[in-house]
Structure formats: structure tokens, C-alpha cells
Amino acid sequence: MIRSRGFGVFVFVIAILSAVQNFIVNGIGFLDAYTGSAFGCGHEWFLCNGQFLPSLQALEKSLSMFIEFMHRVGVPILTILLLVSAVGALLRYRGWREIQLFVALSIFFVLLEAVLGGLAVVYSEPASVIATHFGVSLLAFACTVLLAIYVRRAERVYDEYLATGIKLPLRDPAPGVGFRWFAWLGVPILYLDMYIGAYISSSGAGDAFRGLPFPAESGIYDFHHALLLDWVHRSFALFLVVWMIVLVAWTNRLKGERPDLFRGALFALVFVVLQAFSGLYLIASHVSIQAFMLHVSIVSGLFVSLLFVAFQTVPPFVPAASRSAVDVGRERTAH
């Protein structure tokens, strides 16, 4: 059964559903933070105001309770989907180290996200911890998406493995070291910018700075530290737009032999431009709920795209005895 084509399709579908559910859970979490519904179930976790399952009447009367409870319900659904996809992927593709890596990372970050969420509710954590929770949620989403991508890539070479016993690599030979450094350096820069943005929002200063393109409010003494951070956040955002343009131009020269890098970079450029415009919309709308949800959703796609490009620059994981498979993989592995 494990070697059947149907089982491979099943694993891929569940991996996709895990990524979609992760996005939904994160989206409800973002809505939870925006509406201040984090304490809709009180300072309890797993219980909700003393109950395992609140009554329908209580949920109908309290929007904050409904949002928080839906967020909590989404987490075990995500966990079950992820565990099923992880077990299936390891049973079928355990010989590929990319699968092992993203199974471990996705489970780790999803569990860490749940623990941080529970601590935030129980102990009323400060803005710095809430921002960390936001960053971990994006890492969890990115890893579930990359797990689905690599499950698909492993399935495309699985028939060759059954026929010959050779595990073809899931990536082509790495490009130059310079490009690898450039791609990976963009990841912590983007992550830091996301963290700063989440910190500003969590501190309650998100609507305090309305100048365009940079904040001009210098007399808001309650948020003097946030003003500096907002300058840094917007400067990084403009810098990342330029970074993605360079990334696309660089990968365009490699497009003939590495179209995967070009496509990933193109997605990153589209997302970073959309992110910039959603940031302007966020400011102009005085942090409306529509602008906020759009802003935090687009950054999820941006982070996944950039992390995909970065990981694609890692040399293929091929055992020493099968190094010749790299050359075969360049022809057989779909980009």
C-alpha cells in the first residue's frame, strides 16, 4: 500500500490541507490579536471560561469568545492533519532528508506556536512575546508549505526509485556561493522586519504614526521607542523591495538551468510589492481590519517564497555512493 500511487496522492493532499489549515489558524490568530479577543476565554488554556466546550448561547453573545474559541479549535485540527501527513511522508519518502527535515521543523514550530499562544493567554505576555508568537506562526506555515512542496518533488522521482533503487535528488546542483549567501541573507532581514512590525502592532502604537512614506509624528512621547522602530520597519520594507528586484534579476540569468529559482524569486517580488501597497493602505485606513488582515496575509506568502528560494540554493542531499544521481536528477526532477 505504501508504494502505491494512491498513497502518494493521499500524502500530498493531506500535506496541502495541513498548509491550508495552518494559514487559516494563523489568520484567525491575527484576527484574534486585532480585535483584542485573546482573552475571550479568560486566562485559561485549554478550558474556555471554565468549560471545555462553551455553550452556543455563550458563543453567540460574545464575539471575542467565539473568535478565540475558533482559534483554539483550529489548532488540534491542524495538529492531526500535520501528524497524518508527517507519518505518511516518512513512511513513503523517509530516504529523502528534505522530507525528514521539514517534518521535524513543521511539527516543532506548530507545537511551539501553540505553547506560546497558551502562555500569552495565561500570563498576559508583553508585546515582545506576542511578536515572537507571530514570527513562529510564520515559520510554522512556511515549513508546512515546504513539506508539501517536497512531498510533491519526492513523488515525481519515486517511480525511478522503485525501478532502480536510486534516490534521485530533489534539487539541482547549487548555484554559486555568492547567490546562496544573497538568498539566505534576505530571510533574517525579512524576519526581523516582520518581528518589528508585529511588535509595533502588539504595543498598541500601530495607528499612532500616519506620515507617508515615513512617520512624521515626533511629539507622541508615549510611543517614542515605537516611532524609531516604525522608521526602521518602513526602511527595511523599502530595502526589501530593492532586494527582491535584484533577486529576480539575478535568477533571470540562471533561468535556463534553474527555473525554480526564478519562479520563486518572481513570487517573492510580487508579494513584496503587494506588501508595500498593503502597508500604505494600512496607514491610510488608520489600521482598518481589512488592511490589517491583508497586510499580515501577504507577508505569509512573501516569507514562504523567499525561504523556498533560499533552501533551493542548498546543495542536493545525495549519498556519496549515489553522486552520479545528481546529474540524472537534473533531467528527471521537475523544477
Side-chain angles (χ1 to χ4, degrees), residues 156-170:
R156 287 178 176 177
V157 300
Y158 193 72
D159 288 341
E160 182 73 18
Y161 164 65
L162 292 180
T164 65
I166 297 175
K167 293 183 175 66
L168 298 178
L170 304 186

Side-chain angles (χ1 to χ4, degrees), residues 86-109:
V87 171
L90 290 176
L91 286 175
R92 187 172 175 85
Y93 314 112
R94 58 183 176 274
W96 283 273
R97 283 188 282 173
E98 293 90 344
I99 300 297
Q100 300 170 18
L101 174 65
F102 286 113
V103 162
L105 288 177
S106 57
I107 291 175
F108 172 76
F109 284 121

Side-chain angles (χ1 to χ4, degrees), residues 133-175:
H133 184 206
F134 173 80
V136 170
S137 71
L138 290 185
L139 284 168
F141 174 65
C143 289
T144 54
V145 172
L146 289 174
L147 175 60
I149 289 173
Y150 278 97
V151 162
R152 177 60 176 164
R153 284 174 165 256
E155 183 61 30
R156 287 178 176 177
V157 300
Y158 193 72
D159 288 341
E160 182 73 18
Y161 164 65
L162 292 180
T164 65
I166 297 175
K167 293 183 175 66
L168 298 178
L170 304 186
R171 288 183 310 285
D172 287 339

Side-chain angles (χ1 to χ4, degrees), residues 236-258:
F236 272 25
L238 292 175
F239 178 72
L240 283 166
V241 172
V242 177
W243 192 280
M244 300 310 165
I245 292 174
V246 175
L247 189 68
V248 168
W250 201 332
T251 56
N252 185 55
R253 298 201 299 268
L254 305 171
K255 185 166 58 173
E257 56 187 50
R258 294 298 303 269

